[in-house]
Amino acid sequence: MLDYYHEPSNFSTASSSGYGPPPSVPYLASPQSGDVRHDPSKPSGSKLAGEIQPEGFEHEGVTNDTTSSGDGDSAIHGARVPSDDDSNTEKADPFAEAGSSHSELPNSRIDSGAAGHHKAIEKLQIFLEDETSTHEQIYETYSQLPSVGVKYLSEHYRRLLLHRLSVIEIKSKAAMLRYLTLVDHMKEASIPLLQAEWNSAIAYAGRCFARVAASEVEAALRIWKEMEQEAEVKSGTVTFNILFDIAIKAGKYVLAEMILEEMKTRGLEYNRFSYVSLIYYHGLKGNGGAVRKAYRDMVDAGQIIDTVVMNCIIASLLRANELPAAEQVYERMKRLVYRKTGQFVPNSDWRASRDLGRALDRAARVMRNDEEGLQRLQAEQFLVPDLRTFSIFIDYHTLVTGELRRVTALLEDMQTLRIPMHGRIFMKIFKGFAYHGGVKYTSWTRQRLETVWTSLLSILDEDREGGSEHMMKWTVIWIVRAFARCCGRARALQIWEEVRDRWRVAGDDEKGAVEHLLRNVLEDETNGDTH
């Protein structure tokens, strides 16, 4: 039985009750609250029964060097598995357990002790109710409240604050620090956290970096331990899905198997996200047969299959070095592009994809005994390639096969399917030139690189958002590296100066950090086209 993971000796001095970030991450204190770091010398009050050290946790011989491509994006080297914490069905109404009325007037939700901070609270309420407001706007406004600001908010807005800061496309260090600071404030104010809020805290602790290391796994497990043993909040399927996802992305497969066994012991059923994570897990282990079995089990369980699931299957088969099988899945998806209406499937953003995943998960549970209803719902799904499908394949061909011909064919398919180019795709193509260019007889030539660069410039000229989707940090880095590799230092310096001028969404600090990363490339006289 998996009781609770016992921290290795090098973490023995860490507080078992702290909600905070991994030990290697500096703590973020609210500007008005001072340092709210937990005191390790204070006893946690936790008595662990039957603690275990998973055998071989530190020395499994399994590394995580392919979990992420290291470029801020994830495709075949870390294909995005639907995030169960982002798709937590328990978050559909985060206020259900709070006993608050959604019909109350905003002013009635202001704590009576917050009269002197009425304007700041009203501004925060406006941001929280506005789906377009950013995490930065919300947290900056919250920070204007006195120390432990959650005490000045009503139950409704406390829950909404935590919910809004838990929903994010890609978790980051800054987002993690913001959320875990709020969690600490809730603890200091003696306000209990709901299961969904604990789930988000665990997810942030374990997924805030591109590569999941042992320290992130241990931080997530510490929060899980406190959730169950001190807060006495029982874990659900979502909780274990998050822990399982963190374990497999860290390469801790023994721990992952123990988590699955614990789910079985507790009688917890798999949901949509459990099956998708299992498919991804077997892909990481290079077991194509197990990938297929997990998919069949998902279908047999009555789960709805959509493009997200098919993308995970493709990425997992590629991980297992089964390119022909992955391409067969892709070709079948292409044949389903046109449905009865003969219309193309509209592109959707990450929020729409998240909402769809939650809806399909709920539908599978509600319609469990309605086989005809499930079949009708399945028939309505558009199992067609999307941007992530192409991102996965292009990443594979730029990193593994080096076949520019296949990349070109995929780009033509994107055009046929009316899927617009994205900075993620450009980044992978430039990465291919950086990997495979600059040598004799390569198809990744200087002339073709210049053609790709010209295409990007034409898109940037039409982009009214200042290149926000096309000129991201890692796109910029791979552009310069590609030109350094294929054309030499002089051309790379010219490109860098042009990129700096066009990269309007980045501040001076970010540009300076990128220039620092590129210093070896820009100073290396040995780069250049050799043919």
Side-chain angles (χ1 to χ4, degrees):
M1 176 179 177
L2 177 65
D3 290 323
Y4 295 95
Y5 174 72
H6 182 72
E7 291 87 344
S9 58
N10 60 316
F11 284 89
S12 61
T13 59
S15 168
S16 64
S17 62
Y19 296 136
S24 60
V25 181
Y27 203 87
L28 176 68
S30 175
Q32 282 78 23
S33 63
D35 191 347
V36 293
R37 184 186 293 110
H38 297 290
D39 185 354
S41 65
K42 295 181 180 179
S44 66
S46 173
K47 300 294 183 181
L48 298 184
E51 279 190 330
I52 59 171
Q53 170 76 36
E55 181 180 357
F57 181 92
E58 288 298 318
H59 305 286
E60 290 180 47
V62 181
T63 63
N64 192 40
D65 57 355
T66 58
T67 299
S68 172
S69 58
D71 53 15
D73 183 62
S74 58
I76 178 61
H77 289 266
R80 191 184 192 283
V81 178
S83 180
D84 205 351
D85 56 302
D86 289 344
S87 306
N88 188 350
T89 56
E90 295 163 298
K91 286 182 183 176
D93 185 357
F95 321 110
E97 299 177 45
S100 62
S101 171
H102 291 247
S103 61
E104 293 179 66
L105 294 174
N107 287 344
S108 69
R109 296 174 180 164
I110 300 175
D111 189 283
S112 59
H117 313 286
H118 185 88
K119 289 185 178 179
I121 294 175
E122 281 192 334
K123 183 178 179 182
L124 178 60
Q125 291 174 351
I126 292 172
F127 278 137
L128 290 174
E129 300 286 1
D130 181 4
E131 290 291 336
T132 64
S133 57
T134 65
H135 285 200
E136 290 77 11
Q137 290 173 320
I138 292 171
Y139 190 79
E140 181 180 355
T141 306
Y142 169 78
S143 299
Q144 296 171 12
L145 300 180
S147 177
V148 193
V150 292
K151 294 191 296 186
Y152 297 88
L153 300 176
S154 69
E155 182 75 356
H156 171 81
Y157 280 108
R158 288 181 195 129
R159 303 303 174 186
L160 184 55
L161 174 63
L162 285 161
H163 175 65
R164 287 295 309 277
L165 293 189
S166 72
V167 179
I168 189 170
E169 181 178 12
I170 300 175
K171 289 178 173 58
S172 65
K173 174 182 173 181
M176 177 269 291
L177 292 172
R178 284 191 293 263
Y179 191 85
L180 294 187
T181 297
L182 288 180
V183 170
D184 273 316
H185 287 183
M186 293 285 283
K187 179 184 178 183
E188 190 170 343
S190 299
I191 302 171
L193 290 164
L194 306 180
Q195 186 192 79
E197 294 159 355
W198 281 108
N199 290 343
S200 294
I202 294 170
Y204 266 120
R207 295 172 174 164
C208 62
F209 298 107
R211 293 179 184 272
V212 180
S215 58
E216 283 77 64
V217 175
E218 290 150 9
L221 291 171
R222 284 200 298 272
I223 295 177
W224 175 53
K225 179 176 68 178
E226 183 167 5
M227 169 187 174
E228 291 214 332
Q229 295 240 334
E230 297 186 23
E232 297 183 347
V233 175
K234 286 299 181 183
S235 303
T237 298
V238 173
T239 314
F240 283 101
N241 287 348
I242 294 169
L243 291 170
F244 180 74
D245 183 65
I246 293 169
I248 63 175
K249 288 180 177 176
K252 308 301 182 184
Y253 299 152
V254 171
L255 178 61
E257 293 289 347
M258 295 172 70
I259 291 170
L260 294 178
E261 186 62 31
E262 182 68 10
M263 289 183 69
K264 182 179 179 180
T265 300
R266 297 192 184 195
L268 296 174
E269 294 185 355
Y270 289 173
N271 63 11
R272 166 187 172 85
F273 308 100
S274 307
Y275 285 109
V276 174
S277 292
L278 274 173
I279 292 170
Y280 182 67
Y281 169 53
H282 293 304
L284 287 174
K285 295 180 71 175
N287 191 336
V291 168
R292 295 175 178 85
K293 182 181 184 303
Y295 171 70
R296 288 194 298 270
D297 290 344
M298 184 175 186
V299 174
D300 292 342
Q303 294 293 328
I304 307 301
I305 308 301
D306 66 348
T307 296
V308 172
V309 177
M310 302 309 293
N311 284 344
C312 186
I313 292 170
I314 289 172
S316 300
L317 290 172
L318 291 175
R319 283 275 195 173
N321 293 318
E322 294 196 22
L323 175 59
E327 289 185 330
Q328 186 179 41
V329 174
Y330 170 67
E331 291 299 327
R332 289 178 178 175
M333 292 173 71
K334 278 203 306 182
R335 289 197 292 269
L336 294 173
V337 168
Y338 287 106
R339 302 298 295 248
K340 295 178 181 179
T341 59
Q343 298 295 318
F344 285 103
V345 181
N347 294 306
S348 60
D349 61 12
W350 68 273
R351 289 182 183 273
S353 178
R354 167 182 172 272
D355 292 342
L356 176 61
R358 293 169 62 181
L360 294 178
D361 184 52
R362 287 195 298 270
R365 291 198 307 272
V366 172
M367 305 172 68
R368 177 175 301 178
N369 298 320
D370 183 3
E371 185 174 349
E372 291 185 2
L374 283 173
Q375 290 177 352
R376 287 195 301 271
L377 185 58
Q378 180 63 71
E380 294 173 358
Q381 302 309 306
F382 286 86
L383 303 179
V384 298
D386 62 5
L387 178 64
R388 187 161 296 278
T389 314
F390 290 101
S391 179
I392 292 168
F393 272 111
I394 291 175
D395 195 45
Y396 181 82
H397 286 298
T398 55
L399 293 177
V400 180
T401 70
E403 292 187 16
L404 183 59
R405 175 182 57 82
R406 287 296 300 138
V407 173
T408 302
L410 288 163
L411 294 176
E412 291 174 352
D413 286 349
M414 283 185 65
Q415 188 174 14
T416 301
L417 297 176
R418 304 175 189 172
I419 298 176
M421 282 292 289
H422 189 278
R424 183 186 308 163
I425 302 298
F426 275 112
M427 179 192 68
K428 296 178 186 305
I429 296 173
F430 283 116
K431 187 195 300 186
F433 280 99
Y435 281 9
H436 306 292
V439 295
K440 290 183 177 180
Y441 311 120
T442 180
S443 56
W444 301 81
T445 63
R446 173 174 183 165
Q447 292 75 17
R448 287 173 175 153
L449 173 60
E450 293 284 359
T451 299
V452 175
W453 171 242
T454 301
S455 298
L456 176 58
L457 292 181
S458 65
I459 292 177
L460 291 176
D461 290 337
E462 299 174 358
D463 188 353
R464 297 180 180 179
E465 300 296 327
S468 58
E469 291 187 351
H470 304 294
M471 294 290 281
M472 299 176 291
K473 172 185 173 181
W474 283 99
T475 307
V476 170
I477 289 172
W478 285 111
I479 288 172
V480 177
R481 287 178 176 175
F483 275 96
R485 174 73 171 175
C486 297
C487 309
R489 175 175 174 270
R491 181 59 177 147
L493 285 170
Q494 293 176 355
I495 293 296
W496 169 238
E497 292 302 322
E498 187 167 358
V499 167
R500 281 183 62 95
D501 293 339
R502 288 179 172 272
W503 195 16
R504 296 189 294 273
V505 296
D508 291 338
D509 290 343
E510 186 172 10
K511 292 178 181 178
V514 169
E515 187 167 19
H516 180 73
L517 287 173
L518 291 171
R519 66 188 185 282
N520 292 335
V521 174
L522 297 175
E523 295 172 0
D524 188 357
E525 295 285 358
T526 63
N527 286 309
D529 196 354
T530 60
H531 55 87

